[in-house]
Amino acid sequence: MGDTAKDIGIDLGTANTIVYARGKGIVLNEPSVVAVQAGSGTALAVGREARDTIGRTPGSITAIRPLKGGAISDYRAAEEMIRHFVRKAVPGRNPRTRMVLCVPSGITPVEQRAIVQAAERVGARTVHLVDEPMAAAMGAGLPVSKAHGSMVVDIGGGTTEVAVISLGGIVAAWSLRVGGDRLDEAIADHVRKEHGLLIGERTAEAVKLAIGSACPVPEDPDLEHRTFAVGGREKIPGGLPHTLELSAAEVRAALDESCEAVVTAVKSTLEECPPELADDVMEHGIVLTGGGALLPGLDLRIAAGAGIPVFVADDPMDCVALGTGKCVENFDALEDFLADW
């Protein structure tokens, strides 16, 4: 296969992009954001530096998230972002790289082709795709190759991927465009509608991380009494800056619809699953991965809704990247898990 030292796996996420280099492990984890010059479209900053400009840019600069719902929404910005991350992860003048890219199971062939073309244009020698729930399950250490039903729920920034896996294949799956970004939007919408205050996405994310939850958490009873001060601008014409206190219960109510959508997706996937595999899932439980798995109480809410034990994976935010990395490290053995282009 030639020089494999530069083989990389990329978890091209809506919120963050993680790059795994063969023999080195995870070498890059940065926000999937590009700051571009208005009019020319020239990229001025990528990744962490670009994310710091969100909500703070002058009119001549726009902060862009090139992916929405796991698919490329701005092709030029996405290509520039991938090129920047690859050069940063694999510096120097290197041979063309073999890439394994993770994609949501629900994206269309056209969306897949856009991701592959972007990778090829930045120098990929060959491009291989792996379904996000498969990568998440591998990264979480589930026995994906065995005749045994394993269920994974990967909640990323743009999508939630639910899948039951057995014998190296996805037997039943459900993909919905609900993730961390939707949770942030729900909080911002609630504050706007109920309090007439406009807040930015970074403020909404800070609220979610500080006092967000999917249901009451017995292990953290103090959460119920916490509040968080948010600053924004009044919605009325000529509105001035204003600050208000949000309670944990109020934020939970704002997140309720999105959390229930995840529970419904889990139940729908189980309904499509063969009885034997459903019995395996009932016995061994469901594993949560992705950043959304860290939302307090989400595991309890899914367990109550599905009637099945739910566990949060170790290092849930890195599971997809680690699973993609396993494909890079053991390419010949795991080639059947990949789609070639």
Side-chain angles (χ1 to χ4, degrees):
M1 298 298 296
D3 182 6
T4 61
K6 306 303 180 185
D7 291 352
I8 60 174
I10 302 179
D11 172 15
L12 194 62
T14 303
N16 291 280
T17 295
I18 305 178
V19 180
Y20 183 108
R22 184 183 180 104
K24 296 181 179 180
I26 293 175
V27 294
L28 181 143
N29 184 348
E30 293 205 23
S32 301
V33 183
V34 181
V36 300
Q37 183 75 45
S40 68
T42 303
L44 302 176
V46 180
R48 194 168 290 108
E49 182 181 352
R51 186 181 189 277
D52 291 341
T53 69
I54 291 178
R56 295 188 170 90
T57 57
S60 60
I61 301 174
T62 303
I64 295 175
R65 292 183 179 274
L67 292 102
K68 293 187 183 298
I72 292 178
S73 58
D74 188 311
Y75 186 86
R76 183 174 178 180
E79 184 179 315
E80 187 61 38
M81 183 180 75
I82 296 171
R83 178 179 289 108
H84 175 87
F85 288 153
V86 169
R87 286 177 176 172
K88 192 171 183 178
V90 191
R93 300 187 64 180
N94 299 304
R96 286 167 62 84
T97 306
R98 179 169 60 186
M99 294 186 192
V100 177
L101 289 169
C102 181
V103 295
S105 60
I107 68 171
T108 67
V110 172
E111 291 169 335
Q112 287 183 345
R113 170 54 64 184
I115 291 175
V116 170
Q117 288 178 339
E120 290 174 340
R121 286 176 63 88
V122 304
R125 170 165 52 93
T126 58
V127 180
H128 308 272
L129 303 181
V130 58
D131 284 331
E132 186 173 313
M134 179 66 75
M138 293 170 66
L142 296 180
V144 296
S145 298
K146 296 183 178 179
H148 165 89
S150 298
M151 189 168 192
V152 63
V153 179
D154 181 68
I155 307 165
T159 63
T160 291
E161 304 287 320
V162 185
V164 175
I165 298 168
S166 179
L167 288 173
I170 295 176
V171 180
W174 201 274
S175 178
L176 66 158
R177 301 205 171 181
V178 172
D181 289 349
R182 177 69 67 85
L183 299 180
D184 298 342
E185 291 170 8
I187 293 172
D189 288 346
H190 173 83
V191 173
R192 175 176 55 82
K193 293 175 183 177
E194 298 299 324
H195 300 283
L197 190 70
L198 303 176
I199 64 174
E201 62 179 77
R202 295 190 68 181
T203 300
E205 183 184 25
V207 172
K208 177 186 67 179
L209 295 175
I211 59 173
S213 63
C215 70
V217 184
E219 295 80 8
D220 188 7
D222 291 340
L223 177 61
E224 298 301 299
H225 308 293
R226 289 184 203 142
T227 61
F228 191 84
V230 295
R233 180 173 59 81
E234 294 172 330
K235 189 172 68 172
I236 60 175
L240 298 175
H242 180 68
T243 301
L244 63 86
E245 292 278 338
L246 292 176
S247 69
E250 185 177 4
V251 173
R252 184 185 309 129
L255 300 177
D256 183 72
E257 184 178 347
S258 297
C259 291
E260 188 58 30
V262 174
V263 175
T264 299
V266 170
K267 293 163 69 175
S268 298
T269 305
L270 287 168
E271 289 171 1
E272 296 177 0
C273 184
E276 292 80 2
L277 297 184
D279 186 58
D280 290 338
V281 174
M282 177 68 74
E283 180 181 355
H284 297 284
I286 299 168
V287 175
L288 296 188
T289 64
L294 299 175
L295 181 69
L298 185 57
D299 54 342
L300 301 176
R301 181 159 181 172
I302 295 174
I308 295 174
V310 177
F311 309 95
V312 178
D314 296 333
D315 301 319
M317 296 184 70
D318 292 339
C319 281
V320 172
L322 293 173
T324 306
K326 286 185 177 180
C327 295
V328 171
E329 298 285 2
N330 305 285
F331 186 86
D332 293 335
L334 299 178
E335 192 169 3
D336 290 343
F337 291 88
L338 308 174
D340 296 333
W341 285 80

